Amino acid sequence: MSSDLREQFFTSIVHFRKLEATLSSECEMQMNEMAILHSIAGTCCRECPCMNLDVPKIQQKLHISKPAISYILNTLEKKNYITREIDPKDRRKVSISATPEGRAAAEQSMKKYDEIWDEILERFGEDNMKNLIELIQSLDELYAAMGKK
């Protein structure tokens, strides 16, 4: 039974990664790109066009390294979704702004994500989704406690 369970777990992880890849494809950007772009575009407004990205908060939320965040920011900049410049109020900080293209991409990807989310939630059920999220979080905490993250 143990080897069966182990194989089912492995297969489930592979399927879960395929689900993420499909979702990224549907939303036309990687999930980490989407999360970071939304954290930038979501706080940008006409009165406050720039923000200082809280890298430690993003690292904690997404469980990714600082170099990975830099790589994603470079990718978003190459796509003309963000601009970076020295913060005039504090030259040690870099202000990051979503461009009009970035805000449009953020809105479009979130619209697509919401459509997919609504269908998944409708078919899978709210209770099942809550249980799944709780189980994934517990597994993530266990893995972290094992010193693997």
Side-chain angles (χ1 to χ4, degrees), residues 6 10 15 17-18 25-26 38 67 71 73-76 79 100 105 110 112 115 125 128 133 136 148:
R6 192 178 100 208
F10 181 81
H15 287 227
R17 290 187 57 137
K18 285 182 180 178
S25 174
E26 289 281 329
H38 285 281
Y71 179 83
L73 290 173
N74 288 339
T75 301
L76 293 173
K79 291 179 178 181
M110 189 51 78
K112 189 63 178 175
E115 290 171 8
N128 283 337
I133 291 167
I136 291 170
K148 304 295 183 184

Side-chain angles (χ1 to χ4, degrees), residues 67-81:
I69 292 173
S70 293
Y71 179 83
I72 292 167
L73 290 173
N74 288 339
T75 301
L76 293 173
E77 193 169 32
K78 286 177 188 170
K79 291 179 178 181
N80 197 34
Y81 289 169

